[in-house]
Amino acid sequence: MNISIIDEVIEQLKAMPQDLQWQVLEFARILAKSQVRGTPGKKLLRFAASIPPDDLQLMREAIEQDCEQVDINEW
């Protein structure tokens, strides 16, 4: 099955009520006007390997330690 994205969107739109079709249209218009922000990856390559391995290990350990726990009283 080699259906294009446009064809798939059209098929999905056909199944939606008109009010949802309008929402999709408005969203598409907003996306079309939006600009890509950020820094291209090529410009970031100069930073590759700039963090010392020991620091990376400390970061990895902190992430593993803190991200694997849930504090049910946090909220």
Side-chain angles (χ1 to χ4, degrees):
M1 184 166 81
N2 193 8
I3 187 167
S4 75
I5 294 173
I6 292 173
D7 292 336
E8 179 66 24
V9 170
I10 290 170
E11 288 303 312
Q12 293 296 321
L13 283 168
K14 288 178 182 178
M16 292 180 188
Q18 192 171 26
D19 61 319
L20 292 180
Q21 291 176 7
W22 279 107
Q23 287 182 20
V24 172
L25 176 60
E26 288 301 313
F27 183 64
R29 287 178 174 161
I30 290 168
L31 287 177
K33 292 179 184 177
S34 67
Q35 296 179 359
V36 176
R37 291 185 280 169
T39 303
K42 287 183 179 182
K43 288 189 175 184
L44 299 174
L45 285 176
R46 64 187 174 112
F47 298 109
S50 64
I51 301 175
D54 291 343
D55 290 346
L56 291 174
Q57 183 61 32
L58 289 172
M59 286 189 263
R60 182 178 295 111
E61 290 170 6
I63 291 168
E64 288 174 358
Q65 180 181 4
D66 294 334
C67 292
E68 293 181 3
Q69 297 178 5
V70 177
D71 182 358
I72 59 172
N73 297 315
E74 184 177 16
W75 296 92

